[in-house]
Amino acid sequence: MAAHMRRRLRKGATTTAVAAAAVAALAASQAPAATLADGSAGSGDPKAAGEDTASGETDGAATGNSPYYTDLPPLVTPDKPGSSSNLPAAGSAEAGIPASVLAAYKQAERTVATTDPSCRLPWQLLAAIGKVESGQARGGRVDANGTASPRILGPALNGQGFALIKDTDGGAYDGDAVHDRAVGPMQFIPSTWASWGQDANGDGRKDPNNIYDAALAAGRYLCANDRDLALAADLDQAVLSYNRSTEYLRTVRSWYSYYQRGTHEIPDGTGTLPSTPSTPSPSPGTGSGPSATPSPKPSPDKPGGKPSPGPSKPGGGGSTSPTPKPPTPKPTPPSATFGSLENAGTGPLRATAGQEFDERVSVLARNAVGAPLAKVPVTFTVTGGTGTLFAGGKKTVTVRTGADGTATAPKLRAGEKAGEFTVTAVAGTVRPRTLTYAATVTARQADAIARTDEKALVAAPGEKFADAVTVKATYKDAAAAGVAVTATMVKDRLGVIDNDKGPYFKDADGKPVRTLTTLTTDADGQLRLPEIFADDNEGTYLLRLTTEGGASVVIELTVKAPEETTPEEPAPDATETPAATKP
Protein backbone atom coordinates (compact mmCIF):
# COMPACT_ATOMS: atom_id res chain seq x y z
CA MET A 1 0.00 0.00 0.00
CA ALA A 2 2.86 2.38 0.81
CA ALA A 3 4.40 1.66 -2.56
CA HIS A 4 1.11 2.41 -4.30
CA MET A 5 0.79 5.69 -2.35
CA ARG A 6 4.31 6.68 -3.41
CA ARG A 7 3.39 6.02 -7.02
CA ARG A 8 0.32 8.27 -6.74
CA LEU A 9 2.51 11.04 -5.35
CA ARG A 10 4.99 10.61 -8.16
CA LYS A 11 2.24 10.90 -10.71
CA GLY A 12 1.56 14.40 -9.47
CA ALA A 13 5.20 15.39 -9.51
CA THR A 14 5.43 16.37 -13.17
CA THR A 15 7.10 19.74 -13.53
CA THR A 16 7.94 22.17 -16.29
CA ALA A 17 11.59 21.15 -16.00
CA VAL A 18 10.73 17.51 -16.64
CA ALA A 19 8.60 18.44 -19.62
CA ALA A 20 11.42 20.55 -21.01
CA ALA A 21 13.82 17.66 -20.52
CA ALA A 22 11.48 15.33 -22.41
CA VAL A 23 11.30 17.73 -25.36
CA ALA A 24 15.06 18.07 -25.36
CA ALA A 25 15.43 14.31 -25.32
CA LEU A 26 13.28 13.85 -28.40
CA ALA A 27 15.39 16.38 -30.25
CA ALA A 28 18.74 15.12 -29.00
CA SER A 29 21.37 13.69 -31.31
CA GLN A 30 21.20 9.91 -31.58
CA ALA A 31 24.17 7.63 -31.04
CA PRO A 32 25.00 4.69 -33.25
CA ALA A 33 23.71 1.31 -32.22
CA ALA A 34 25.90 -0.21 -29.52
CA THR A 35 28.09 -2.95 -30.86
CA LEU A 36 27.25 -6.40 -29.62
CA ALA A 37 30.49 -6.37 -27.67
CA ASP A 38 29.13 -3.65 -25.39
CA GLY A 39 27.81 -4.48 -21.97
CA SER A 40 28.66 -7.10 -19.44
CA ALA A 41 27.21 -9.87 -21.54
CA GLY A 42 30.17 -9.76 -23.88
CA SER A 43 30.23 -9.87 -27.66
CA GLY A 44 28.34 -11.87 -30.23
CA ASP A 45 27.49 -11.88 -33.90
CA PRO A 46 23.79 -11.36 -34.44
CA LYS A 47 23.94 -13.29 -37.68
CA ALA A 48 25.16 -16.27 -35.75
CA ALA A 49 22.00 -16.17 -33.74
CA GLY A 50 19.47 -15.58 -36.50
CA GLU A 51 18.63 -13.37 -39.52
CA ASP A 52 15.95 -10.80 -40.13
CA THR A 53 12.53 -12.24 -40.56
CA ALA A 54 10.48 -11.54 -43.62
CA SER A 55 6.88 -10.48 -43.13
CA GLY A 56 4.82 -13.43 -42.05
CA GLU A 57 7.51 -15.40 -40.22
CA THR A 58 6.70 -15.60 -36.54
CA ASP A 59 8.37 -18.78 -35.29
CA GLY A 60 9.66 -18.19 -31.80
CA ALA A 61 8.65 -14.49 -31.75
CA ALA A 62 6.82 -13.39 -28.61
CA THR A 63 5.59 -10.25 -30.35
CA GLY A 64 4.67 -11.82 -33.66
CA ASN A 65 7.42 -9.62 -35.13
CA SER A 66 5.12 -6.63 -34.82
CA PRO A 67 6.50 -3.06 -35.22
CA TYR A 68 8.74 -1.56 -32.55
CA TYR A 69 10.43 1.75 -31.79
CA THR A 70 13.83 2.28 -33.43
CA ASP A 71 14.97 5.37 -31.49
CA LEU A 72 18.45 4.88 -30.05
CA PRO A 73 19.96 6.15 -26.79
CA PRO A 74 21.59 9.59 -26.76
CA LEU A 75 25.34 9.97 -27.03
CA VAL A 76 25.68 11.22 -23.48
CA THR A 77 26.22 8.88 -20.58
CA PRO A 78 23.37 8.62 -18.05
CA ASP A 79 23.73 10.69 -14.91
CA LYS A 80 24.46 8.10 -12.24
CA PRO A 81 23.81 9.03 -8.61
CA GLY A 82 26.84 10.84 -7.28
CA SER A 83 28.29 11.59 -10.72
CA SER A 84 28.46 14.90 -12.59
CA SER A 85 25.26 16.96 -12.51
CA ASN A 86 26.23 18.92 -15.63
CA LEU A 87 25.08 16.34 -18.18
CA PRO A 88 22.66 17.45 -20.91
CA ALA A 89 18.98 17.18 -20.13
CA ALA A 90 18.52 14.55 -22.85
CA GLY A 91 20.79 12.13 -21.10
CA SER A 92 19.04 12.56 -17.79
CA ALA A 93 15.57 12.27 -19.30
CA GLU A 94 16.31 9.21 -21.44
CA ALA A 95 17.96 7.43 -18.54
CA GLY A 96 14.89 7.93 -16.39
CA ILE A 97 12.51 4.99 -16.01
CA PRO A 98 9.01 5.46 -14.55
CA ALA A 99 8.79 4.28 -10.95
CA SER A 100 6.23 1.49 -11.37
CA VAL A 101 7.89 0.22 -14.55
CA LEU A 102 11.33 0.18 -12.93
CA ALA A 103 9.92 -1.60 -9.87
CA ALA A 104 8.35 -4.25 -12.12
CA TYR A 105 11.63 -4.95 -13.93
CA LYS A 106 13.56 -5.30 -10.69
CA GLN A 107 10.87 -7.49 -9.14
CA ALA A 108 10.97 -9.78 -12.19
CA GLU A 109 14.76 -10.06 -11.88
CA ARG A 110 14.46 -11.09 -8.21
CA THR A 111 11.68 -13.59 -8.89
CA VAL A 112 13.51 -15.32 -11.74
CA ALA A 113 16.68 -15.40 -9.66
CA THR A 114 14.89 -17.63 -7.14
CA THR A 115 13.38 -20.08 -9.66
CA ASP A 116 16.05 -20.06 -12.38
CA PRO A 117 19.25 -18.59 -10.91
CA SER A 118 21.43 -20.02 -13.66
CA CYS A 119 19.66 -17.79 -16.22
CA ARG A 120 21.17 -14.64 -14.58
CA LEU A 121 18.47 -12.35 -15.93
CA PRO A 122 19.42 -8.64 -15.69
CA TRP A 123 16.57 -6.20 -15.20
CA GLN A 124 18.30 -3.80 -17.61
CA LEU A 125 17.53 -6.25 -20.44
CA LEU A 126 13.82 -6.08 -19.58
CA ALA A 127 14.11 -2.29 -19.49
CA ALA A 128 15.73 -2.27 -22.95
CA ILE A 129 12.97 -4.43 -24.43
CA GLY A 130 10.29 -2.41 -22.66
CA LYS A 131 11.78 0.78 -24.10
CA VAL A 132 11.84 -0.59 -27.65
CA GLU A 133 8.41 -2.24 -27.48
CA SER A 134 6.30 0.42 -25.75
CA GLY A 135 8.50 3.30 -24.62
CA GLN A 136 8.33 1.99 -21.02
CA ALA A 137 4.54 1.57 -21.06
CA ARG A 138 4.10 4.92 -22.85
CA GLY A 139 6.27 6.75 -20.38
CA GLY A 140 4.82 5.00 -17.34
CA ARG A 141 1.16 5.68 -17.94
CA VAL A 142 -0.05 2.99 -15.58
CA ASP A 143 -2.48 2.94 -12.68
CA ALA A 144 -1.66 2.24 -9.04
CA ASN A 145 -1.61 -1.52 -9.72
CA GLY A 146 0.75 -1.16 -12.69
CA THR A 147 -1.85 -1.65 -15.43
CA ALA A 148 -1.47 0.42 -18.59
CA SER A 149 -4.32 2.86 -19.07
CA PRO A 150 -5.46 2.91 -21.78
CA ARG A 151 -4.28 -0.55 -22.80
CA ILE A 152 -1.43 -0.78 -25.30
CA LEU A 153 -2.27 -2.53 -28.59
CA GLY A 154 -0.22 -3.11 -31.70
CA PRO A 155 -1.68 -3.08 -35.22
CA ALA A 156 -3.82 -5.99 -36.42
CA LEU A 157 -1.56 -8.75 -37.66
CA ASN A 158 -3.60 -9.17 -40.82
CA GLY A 159 -0.83 -9.84 -43.32
CA GLN A 160 -1.07 -6.30 -44.71
CA GLY A 161 2.48 -5.20 -44.06
CA PHE A 162 2.70 -7.44 -41.01
CA ALA A 163 2.59 -11.11 -40.21
CA LEU A 164 -0.74 -12.83 -40.70
CA ILE A 165 -1.92 -14.21 -37.35
CA LYS A 166 -5.59 -15.05 -37.10
CA ASP A 167 -7.38 -14.53 -33.80
CA THR A 168 -6.40 -16.97 -31.04
CA ASP A 169 -8.05 -15.41 -27.98
CA GLY A 170 -11.53 -14.43 -29.17
CA GLY A 171 -10.50 -10.82 -28.63
CA ALA A 172 -10.12 -11.36 -24.87
CA TYR A 173 -6.77 -9.58 -24.63
CA ASP A 174 -6.62 -7.45 -27.77
CA GLY A 175 -10.30 -6.72 -28.48
CA ASP A 176 -9.91 -8.14 -32.01
CA ALA A 177 -11.83 -11.33 -32.79
CA VAL A 178 -10.49 -11.51 -36.36
CA HIS A 179 -6.72 -11.08 -36.05
CA ASP A 180 -4.29 -11.05 -33.16
CA ARG A 181 -2.50 -7.90 -32.00
CA ALA A 182 0.54 -7.47 -29.76
CA VAL A 183 -0.69 -6.47 -26.31
CA GLY A 184 0.67 -4.53 -23.34
CA PRO A 185 3.94 -2.90 -22.30
CA MET A 186 5.99 -5.92 -23.42
CA GLN A 187 3.84 -6.51 -26.56
CA PHE A 188 2.99 -10.19 -26.25
CA ILE A 189 0.74 -11.71 -28.89
CA PRO A 190 -2.21 -13.51 -27.27
CA SER A 191 -1.09 -17.02 -28.28
CA THR A 192 2.28 -16.50 -26.58
CA TRP A 193 0.67 -14.94 -23.53
CA ALA A 194 -1.56 -18.00 -23.18
CA SER A 195 1.58 -20.08 -22.49
CA TRP A 196 3.76 -17.54 -20.69
CA GLY A 197 1.35 -15.22 -18.89
CA GLN A 198 2.11 -14.53 -15.21
CA ASP A 199 0.36 -13.03 -12.20
CA ALA A 200 3.21 -11.09 -10.63
CA ASN A 201 1.20 -8.46 -8.75
CA GLY A 202 -0.94 -11.00 -6.91
CA ASP A 203 -4.34 -9.78 -8.09
CA GLY A 204 -5.38 -13.23 -9.33
CA ARG A 205 -5.19 -12.28 -13.02
CA LYS A 206 -2.60 -12.77 -15.73
CA ASP A 207 -2.91 -9.45 -17.53
CA PRO A 208 -0.55 -8.61 -20.42
CA ASN A 209 -1.41 -4.92 -19.90
CA ASN A 210 -0.06 -5.03 -16.33
CA ILE A 211 3.64 -4.13 -16.24
CA TYR A 212 4.37 -6.47 -13.31
CA ASP A 213 2.73 -9.45 -15.01
CA ALA A 214 4.24 -8.61 -18.40
CA ALA A 215 7.79 -8.04 -17.08
CA LEU A 216 7.88 -11.39 -15.28
CA ALA A 217 6.46 -13.18 -18.32
CA ALA A 218 9.12 -11.55 -20.51
CA GLY A 219 11.85 -12.56 -18.06
CA ARG A 220 10.77 -16.19 -18.04
CA TYR A 221 10.41 -16.18 -21.83
CA LEU A 222 13.94 -14.83 -22.28
CA CYS A 223 15.32 -17.51 -19.92
CA ALA A 224 13.67 -20.38 -21.82
CA ASN A 225 15.68 -23.21 -23.37
CA ASP A 226 18.18 -23.19 -20.48
CA ARG A 227 19.70 -19.86 -21.54
CA ASP A 228 22.39 -18.13 -19.50
CA LEU A 229 21.92 -14.44 -20.25
CA ALA A 230 25.39 -13.63 -18.97
CA LEU A 231 26.62 -15.28 -22.19
CA ALA A 232 26.50 -13.08 -25.27
CA ALA A 233 25.28 -15.84 -27.58
CA ASP A 234 22.44 -16.79 -25.25
CA LEU A 235 21.43 -13.16 -24.73
CA ASP A 236 21.33 -12.60 -28.51
CA GLN A 237 19.23 -15.74 -29.01
CA ALA A 238 16.85 -14.59 -26.28
CA VAL A 239 16.32 -11.15 -27.84
CA LEU A 240 15.88 -12.66 -31.31
CA SER A 241 13.27 -15.05 -29.91
CA TYR A 242 11.32 -11.95 -28.90
CA ASN A 243 11.43 -10.36 -32.37
CA ARG A 244 13.37 -12.11 -35.09
CA SER A 245 15.20 -9.14 -36.55
CA THR A 246 18.88 -8.26 -36.34
CA GLU A 247 17.92 -4.58 -36.39
CA TYR A 248 15.71 -5.25 -33.39
CA LEU A 249 18.61 -7.00 -31.67
CA ARG A 250 20.94 -4.06 -32.31
CA THR A 251 18.38 -1.59 -30.97
CA VAL A 252 17.68 -3.59 -27.82
CA ARG A 253 21.42 -4.11 -27.28
CA SER A 254 21.96 -0.34 -27.54
CA TRP A 255 19.44 0.41 -24.80
CA TYR A 256 20.68 -2.50 -22.70
CA SER A 257 24.21 -1.11 -22.76
CA TYR A 258 22.90 2.40 -22.08
CA TYR A 259 20.86 1.33 -19.04
CA GLN A 260 23.78 -0.66 -17.68
CA ARG A 261 25.78 2.56 -17.47
CA GLY A 262 23.18 4.16 -15.22
CA THR A 263 19.48 4.97 -14.76
CA HIS A 264 17.29 6.77 -12.28
CA GLU A 265 13.68 6.68 -11.21
CA ILE A 266 11.18 9.25 -12.45
CA PRO A 267 7.48 9.71 -11.60
CA ASP A 268 4.96 7.54 -13.43
CA GLY A 269 3.57 9.20 -16.55
CA THR A 270 6.56 11.51 -17.11
CA GLY A 271 8.76 9.29 -19.28
CA THR A 272 9.77 10.29 -22.80
CA LEU A 273 8.12 8.53 -25.72
CA PRO A 274 10.09 7.15 -28.68
CA SER A 275 9.30 8.80 -31.99
CA THR A 276 10.44 6.43 -34.73
CA PRO A 277 8.59 3.15 -35.27
CA SER A 278 9.86 0.39 -37.49
CA THR A 279 8.19 0.32 -40.90
CA PRO A 280 7.56 -3.16 -42.26
CA SER A 281 7.02 -3.28 -46.03
CA PRO A 282 3.57 -4.01 -47.42
CA SER A 283 2.57 -7.55 -48.15
CA PRO A 284 3.28 -8.95 -51.63
CA GLY A 285 0.89 -7.76 -54.26
CA THR A 286 0.75 -4.10 -53.20
CA GLY A 287 3.09 -3.00 -55.97
CA SER A 288 5.86 -1.90 -53.62
CA GLY A 289 9.38 -3.08 -54.35
CA PRO A 290 12.91 -2.46 -53.18
CA SER A 291 13.75 1.19 -52.73
CA ALA A 292 15.66 2.73 -55.66
CA THR A 293 17.33 5.19 -53.33
CA PRO A 294 20.34 3.85 -51.44
CA SER A 295 20.09 3.96 -47.70
CA PRO A 296 21.72 7.06 -46.21
CA LYS A 297 25.24 6.53 -44.92
CA PRO A 298 26.27 7.55 -41.42
CA SER A 299 26.88 11.24 -40.97
CA PRO A 300 30.61 12.16 -40.64
CA ASP A 301 29.99 14.12 -37.43
CA LYS A 302 28.12 11.16 -35.88
CA PRO A 303 30.28 8.08 -36.23
CA GLY A 304 28.11 5.18 -37.18
CA GLY A 305 25.03 7.39 -37.35
CA LYS A 306 21.57 6.02 -36.80
CA PRO A 307 20.97 2.99 -39.02
CA SER A 308 18.24 3.57 -41.55
CA PRO A 309 15.43 1.09 -41.75
CA GLY A 310 16.40 -1.50 -44.29
CA PRO A 311 16.09 -5.16 -45.08
CA SER A 312 17.11 -6.00 -41.53
CA LYS A 313 13.72 -4.87 -40.21
CA PRO A 314 10.88 -7.34 -40.28
CA GLY A 315 9.39 -7.04 -43.73
CA GLY A 316 11.64 -4.05 -44.48
CA GLY A 317 12.55 -3.12 -48.03
CA GLY A 318 15.99 -3.37 -49.56
CA SER A 319 17.87 -4.41 -52.66
CA THR A 320 18.81 -7.85 -51.42
CA SER A 321 17.22 -10.54 -49.33
CA PRO A 322 19.05 -12.13 -46.43
CA THR A 323 20.04 -15.75 -46.70
CA PRO A 324 17.28 -17.81 -45.14
CA LYS A 325 18.18 -19.28 -41.78
CA PRO A 326 16.48 -22.00 -39.77
CA PRO A 327 13.76 -20.50 -37.57
CA THR A 328 14.66 -19.80 -33.96
CA PRO A 329 13.38 -22.67 -31.79
CA LYS A 330 10.14 -21.74 -30.08
CA PRO A 331 10.77 -21.47 -26.34
CA THR A 332 9.22 -24.12 -24.16
CA PRO A 333 6.44 -22.72 -21.93
CA PRO A 334 7.50 -22.20 -18.30
CA SER A 335 5.20 -24.99 -17.17
CA ALA A 336 7.38 -27.44 -19.11
CA THR A 337 10.76 -25.71 -18.63
CA PHE A 338 13.11 -27.24 -16.10
CA GLY A 339 13.89 -24.62 -13.47
CA SER A 340 15.50 -26.06 -10.33
CA LEU A 341 16.41 -29.24 -8.45
CA GLU A 342 15.87 -29.38 -4.69
CA ASN A 343 16.19 -31.80 -1.79
CA ALA A 344 12.80 -33.46 -1.32
CA GLY A 345 13.36 -34.11 2.38
CA THR A 346 16.21 -36.61 2.40
CA GLY A 347 17.39 -37.12 5.98
CA PRO A 348 20.85 -38.11 7.28
CA LEU A 349 22.36 -41.00 5.35
CA ARG A 350 24.00 -43.38 7.83
CA ALA A 351 24.23 -47.16 7.93
CA THR A 352 26.35 -49.93 9.42
CA ALA A 353 28.68 -51.78 7.06
CA GLY A 354 26.82 -54.41 5.07
CA GLN A 355 23.39 -53.08 6.04
CA GLU A 356 20.72 -51.22 4.04
CA PHE A 357 20.28 -47.50 4.59
CA ASP A 358 16.93 -46.66 6.15
CA GLU A 359 16.87 -43.30 4.33
CA ARG A 360 16.59 -42.98 0.53
CA VAL A 361 17.84 -40.06 -1.57
CA SER A 362 14.93 -38.03 -2.96
CA VAL A 363 14.89 -34.87 -5.09
CA LEU A 364 12.23 -32.44 -6.31
CA ALA A 365 12.29 -30.92 -9.81
CA ARG A 366 10.50 -27.61 -10.36
CA ASN A 367 9.64 -25.81 -13.58
CA ALA A 368 10.49 -22.21 -14.43
CA VAL A 369 7.61 -20.86 -12.34
CA GLY A 370 8.40 -23.00 -9.30
CA ALA A 371 5.76 -25.72 -9.73
CA PRO A 372 6.63 -29.46 -9.56
CA LEU A 373 7.79 -30.80 -12.93
CA ALA A 374 7.14 -34.41 -13.98
CA LYS A 375 9.10 -36.73 -16.28
CA VAL A 376 12.51 -35.14 -15.62
CA PRO A 377 15.31 -37.75 -15.78
CA VAL A 378 17.48 -37.60 -12.66
CA THR A 379 20.77 -39.52 -12.51
CA PHE A 380 21.97 -40.66 -9.08
CA THR A 381 25.63 -41.67 -8.67
CA VAL A 382 27.52 -43.15 -5.68
CA THR A 383 31.11 -41.93 -5.29
CA GLY A 384 33.56 -43.12 -2.64
CA GLY A 385 35.59 -46.08 -1.43
CA THR A 386 33.20 -47.71 1.04
CA GLY A 387 31.81 -50.19 -1.46
CA THR A 388 28.27 -48.83 -1.07
CA LEU A 389 25.94 -49.53 -4.01
CA PHE A 390 22.32 -49.08 -4.97
CA ALA A 391 20.02 -52.10 -4.78
CA GLY A 392 20.94 -54.40 -7.64
CA GLY A 393 24.64 -53.67 -7.26
CA LYS A 394 24.71 -50.47 -9.36
CA LYS A 395 26.74 -47.32 -8.74
CA THR A 396 24.60 -45.20 -11.11
CA VAL A 397 20.83 -45.23 -11.70
CA THR A 398 18.44 -42.91 -13.54
CA VAL A 399 14.92 -42.22 -12.30
CA ARG A 400 12.26 -39.92 -13.81
CA THR A 401 10.28 -37.57 -11.61
CA GLY A 402 6.65 -38.42 -10.98
CA ALA A 403 3.56 -36.26 -11.16
CA ASP A 404 4.57 -34.58 -7.88
CA GLY A 405 7.97 -33.67 -9.32
CA THR A 406 9.91 -36.04 -7.06
CA ALA A 407 12.38 -38.77 -7.98
CA THR A 408 13.60 -41.25 -5.36
CA ALA A 409 16.72 -43.35 -5.81
CA PRO A 410 16.68 -47.09 -5.00
CA LYS A 411 17.79 -48.20 -1.55
CA LEU A 412 21.48 -48.03 -0.74
CA ARG A 413 23.37 -51.00 0.73
CA ALA A 414 26.46 -50.06 2.71
CA GLY A 415 29.78 -51.60 1.76
CA GLU A 416 32.09 -53.38 4.18
CA LYS A 417 34.50 -50.49 4.59
CA ALA A 418 33.64 -47.81 7.10
CA GLY A 419 33.97 -44.18 5.97
CA GLU A 420 32.23 -41.38 4.09
CA PHE A 421 30.92 -41.26 0.51
CA THR A 422 28.60 -39.05 -1.57
CA VAL A 423 25.47 -39.51 -3.64
CA THR A 424 25.12 -36.98 -6.48
CA ALA A 425 21.82 -36.21 -8.22
CA VAL A 426 22.03 -34.52 -11.65
CA ALA A 427 19.18 -33.33 -13.89
CA GLY A 428 19.08 -31.18 -17.02
CA THR A 429 21.25 -31.25 -20.13
CA VAL A 430 22.17 -27.74 -21.29
CA ARG A 431 22.82 -26.39 -17.79
CA PRO A 432 22.59 -29.37 -15.42
CA ARG A 433 21.45 -28.83 -11.85
CA THR A 434 23.34 -30.87 -9.25
CA LEU A 435 22.67 -31.85 -5.64
CA THR A 436 25.22 -33.70 -3.50
CA TYR A 437 24.38 -35.69 -0.38
CA ALA A 438 26.99 -36.76 2.20
CA ALA A 439 26.65 -40.28 3.58
CA THR A 440 28.49 -42.37 6.19
CA VAL A 441 29.16 -46.07 6.60
CA THR A 442 29.97 -47.04 10.19
CA ALA A 443 31.75 -50.22 11.20
CA ARG A 444 29.60 -53.16 12.25
CA GLN A 445 28.73 -52.89 15.92
CA ALA A 446 27.85 -55.05 18.89
CA ASP A 447 26.10 -53.99 22.04
CA ALA A 448 27.08 -57.14 23.98
CA ILE A 449 29.87 -59.73 24.03
CA ALA A 450 30.31 -62.75 26.32
CA ARG A 451 32.15 -66.04 26.62
CA THR A 452 30.42 -69.08 25.24
CA ASP A 453 31.40 -71.15 28.33
CA GLU A 454 32.51 -70.54 31.90
CA LYS A 455 35.38 -73.00 32.18
CA ALA A 456 38.32 -71.72 34.25
CA LEU A 457 41.36 -70.79 32.20
CA VAL A 458 44.57 -71.95 33.88
CA ALA A 459 48.12 -72.50 32.64
CA ALA A 460 51.43 -73.34 34.30
CA PRO A 461 54.30 -70.81 34.08
CA GLY A 462 55.97 -71.00 30.68
CA GLU A 463 53.18 -73.18 29.29
CA LYS A 464 50.22 -72.64 26.92
CA PHE A 465 46.64 -72.36 28.05
CA ALA A 466 45.08 -75.65 27.06
CA ASP A 467 41.56 -74.30 26.59
CA ALA A 468 40.78 -71.77 23.85
CA VAL A 469 38.84 -68.60 24.60
CA THR A 470 35.64 -68.30 22.53
CA VAL A 471 33.22 -65.33 22.69
CA LYS A 472 30.02 -64.28 20.89
CA ALA A 473 29.02 -60.70 19.98
CA THR A 474 25.42 -59.65 19.55
CA TYR A 475 23.58 -56.50 18.46
CA LYS A 476 20.00 -56.04 19.62
CA ASP A 477 20.04 -59.70 20.68
CA ALA A 478 21.01 -60.88 17.19
CA ALA A 479 24.36 -62.32 16.20
CA ALA A 480 26.72 -59.49 15.20
CA ALA A 481 28.78 -60.70 12.28
CA GLY A 482 31.91 -58.96 11.06
CA VAL A 483 32.36 -56.91 14.20
CA ALA A 484 35.90 -55.74 14.97
CA VAL A 485 37.17 -56.88 18.36
CA THR A 486 40.26 -55.70 20.26
CA ALA A 487 41.91 -58.03 22.81
CA THR A 488 44.23 -56.50 25.43
CA MET A 489 45.97 -57.83 28.53
CA VAL A 490 45.18 -55.26 31.25
CA LYS A 491 45.79 -54.64 34.93
CA ASP A 492 42.29 -53.31 35.73
CA ARG A 493 38.81 -54.25 34.59
CA LEU A 494 38.24 -50.88 32.91
CA GLY A 495 41.28 -51.44 30.74
CA VAL A 496 42.92 -48.19 31.77
CA ILE A 497 46.36 -49.75 32.32
CA ASP A 498 47.87 -52.29 29.98
CA ASN A 499 49.80 -55.19 31.44
CA ASP A 500 53.33 -55.98 30.32
CA LYS A 501 53.60 -59.19 32.30
CA GLY A 502 51.71 -62.45 32.46
CA PRO A 503 49.82 -64.14 29.59
CA TYR A 504 50.47 -63.07 26.01
CA PHE A 505 49.71 -63.80 22.36
CA LYS A 506 52.28 -64.34 19.62
CA ASP A 507 52.59 -62.29 16.45
CA ALA A 508 53.45 -63.67 13.02
CA ASP A 509 57.14 -63.81 13.97
CA GLY A 510 56.46 -65.67 17.19
CA LYS A 511 57.21 -62.67 19.39
CA PRO A 512 55.05 -61.94 22.47
CA VAL A 513 52.29 -59.31 22.06
CA ARG A 514 49.65 -58.38 24.59
CA THR A 515 47.21 -56.49 22.27
CA LEU A 516 45.45 -57.75 19.11
CA THR A 517 43.45 -55.37 16.88
CA THR A 518 42.78 -57.49 13.80
CA LEU A 519 40.09 -59.74 15.24
CA THR A 520 36.61 -60.02 13.68
CA THR A 521 33.56 -62.07 14.57
CA ASP A 522 32.40 -64.71 12.10
CA ALA A 523 29.01 -65.07 10.40
CA ASP A 524 27.53 -66.36 13.66
CA GLY A 525 28.97 -63.48 15.66
CA GLN A 526 31.56 -65.77 17.31
CA LEU A 527 35.29 -65.26 17.76
CA ARG A 528 37.85 -67.89 18.79
CA LEU A 529 40.96 -66.16 20.12
CA PRO A 530 44.46 -67.24 19.07
CA GLU A 531 46.50 -69.37 21.48
CA ILE A 532 47.46 -67.72 24.76
CA PHE A 533 50.79 -68.40 26.49
CA ALA A 534 51.94 -67.85 30.08
CA ASP A 535 55.27 -66.39 31.08
CA ASP A 536 57.08 -67.33 34.30
CA ASN A 537 55.05 -64.98 36.51
CA GLU A 538 52.34 -66.63 38.51
CA GLY A 539 49.13 -64.87 39.41
CA THR A 540 45.67 -63.94 38.17
CA TYR A 541 45.57 -61.75 35.11
CA LEU A 542 42.85 -59.95 33.11
CA LEU A 543 42.09 -60.14 29.38
CA ARG A 544 39.70 -57.40 28.15
CA LEU A 545 37.80 -57.78 24.84
CA THR A 546 36.16 -54.64 23.37
CA THR A 547 33.92 -54.47 20.29
CA GLU A 548 33.15 -51.70 17.80
CA GLY A 549 30.13 -50.18 19.46
CA GLY A 550 31.53 -50.24 22.98
CA ALA A 551 30.57 -53.68 24.28
CA SER A 552 33.22 -55.38 26.41
CA VAL A 553 33.95 -58.44 28.51
CA VAL A 554 36.79 -59.15 31.01
CA ILE A 555 38.13 -62.69 31.28
CA GLU A 556 40.37 -64.01 34.09
CA LEU A 557 43.51 -65.96 33.24
CA THR A 558 45.35 -67.83 35.99
CA VAL A 559 49.02 -68.77 35.90
CA LYS A 560 50.16 -71.16 38.62
CA ALA A 561 52.33 -74.21 39.04
CA PRO A 562 50.55 -77.55 39.37
CA GLU A 563 50.20 -78.90 42.91
CA GLU A 564 52.65 -81.70 43.96
CA THR A 565 51.07 -85.03 45.02
CA THR A 566 52.66 -87.89 47.33
CA PRO A 567 52.19 -91.53 46.37
CA GLU A 568 49.72 -93.43 48.61
CA GLU A 569 50.74 -96.74 50.45
CA PRO A 570 48.99 -99.79 49.06
CA ALA A 571 46.16 -101.15 51.19
CA PRO A 572 46.71 -104.59 52.83
CA ASP A 573 45.51 -107.67 51.04
CA ALA A 574 42.31 -108.87 52.60
CA THR A 575 43.22 -112.52 51.94
CA GLU A 576 46.27 -112.41 54.17
CA THR A 577 45.93 -114.11 57.58
CA PRO A 578 46.67 -111.74 60.39
CA ALA A 579 49.51 -112.62 62.75
CA ALA A 580 48.64 -114.75 65.79
CA THR A 581 48.12 -112.85 68.89
CA LYS A 582 49.28 -113.86 72.28
CA PRO A 583 46.70 -114.61 74.86
Side-chain angles (χ1 to χ4, degrees), residues 345-349 357-363 408-412 437:
T346 305
L349 295 169
F357 283 74
D358 292 332
E359 194 75 17
R360 295 170 67 180
V361 178
S362 184
V363 299
T408 302
K411 281 194 171 184
L412 288 162
Y437 300 81

Side-chain angles (χ1 to χ4, degrees), residues 261-524:
R261 292 194 293 269
T263 62
H264 59 268
E265 180 182 299
I266 60 175
D268 287 345
T270 65
T272 58
L273 291 176
S275 59
T276 309
S278 62
T279 53
S281 63
S283 297
T286 61
S288 298
S291 172
T293 305
S295 300
K297 294 185 178 179
S299 173
D301 60 340
K302 297 178 183 177
K306 178 180 177 180
S308 298
S312 61
K313 288 188 172 66
S319 59
T320 60
S321 298
T323 303
K325 295 287 183 180
T328 304
K330 188 174 182 179
T332 305
S335 60
T337 301
F338 180 40
S340 63
L341 192 67
E342 304 170 8
N343 185 351
T346 305
L349 295 169
R350 299 191 188 94
T352 302
Q355 304 300 311
E356 279 192 344
F357 283 74
D358 292 332
E359 194 75 17
R360 295 170 67 180
V361 178
S362 184
V363 299
L364 170 63
R366 295 186 184 277
N367 61 22
V369 294
L373 184 61
K375 298 182 180 180
V376 175
V378 182
T379 299
F380 299 92
T381 303
V382 175
T383 304
T386 64
T388 301
L389 298 170
F390 289 111
K394 297 180 179 180
K395 295 187 70 171
T396 300
V397 295
T398 299
V399 180
R400 287 184 177 271
T401 58
D404 62 352
T406 63
T408 302
K411 281 194 171 184
L412 288 162
R413 176 170 287 277
E416 291 299 330
K417 185 177 180 180
E420 295 182 350
F421 68 97
T422 59
V423 179
T424 302
V426 180
T429 54
V430 179
R431 292 201 315 277
R433 278 68 161 179
T434 301
L435 288 178
T436 300
Y437 300 81
T440 303
V441 175
T442 58
R444 294 174 183 264
Q445 298 181 358
D447 54 17
I449 185 170
R451 286 187 66 190
T452 57
D453 61 62
E454 296 181 358
K455 189 175 182 179
L457 299 168
V458 181
E463 298 296 329
K464 178 175 66 175
F465 284 81
D467 297 309
V469 176
T470 302
V471 295
K472 182 175 182 178
T474 57
Y475 182 71
K476 295 182 179 179
D477 297 327
V483 174
V485 179
T486 299
T488 307
M489 301 298 176
V490 295
K491 290 183 177 181
D492 61 292
R493 288 187 172 273
L494 294 178
V496 176
I497 304 174
D498 293 351
N499 203 338
D500 57 358
K501 294 181 181 180
Y504 60 88
F505 303 102
K506 286 185 179 181
D507 64 13
D509 297 326
K511 295 180 180 180
V513 293
R514 290 184 168 83
T515 297
L516 295 178
T517 59
T518 57
L519 306 173
T520 306
T521 59
D522 63 16
D524 296 322

Side-chain angles (χ1 to χ4, degrees), residues 113-141:
T114 62
T115 59
D116 190 5
S118 55
C119 173
R120 296 190 279 186
L121 170 72
W123 67 262
Q124 291 91 341
L125 180 59
L126 296 175
I129 290 175
K131 178 70 173 180
V132 173
E133 291 294 347
S134 67
Q136 310 298 19
R138 292 204 192 101
R141 288 164 177 81

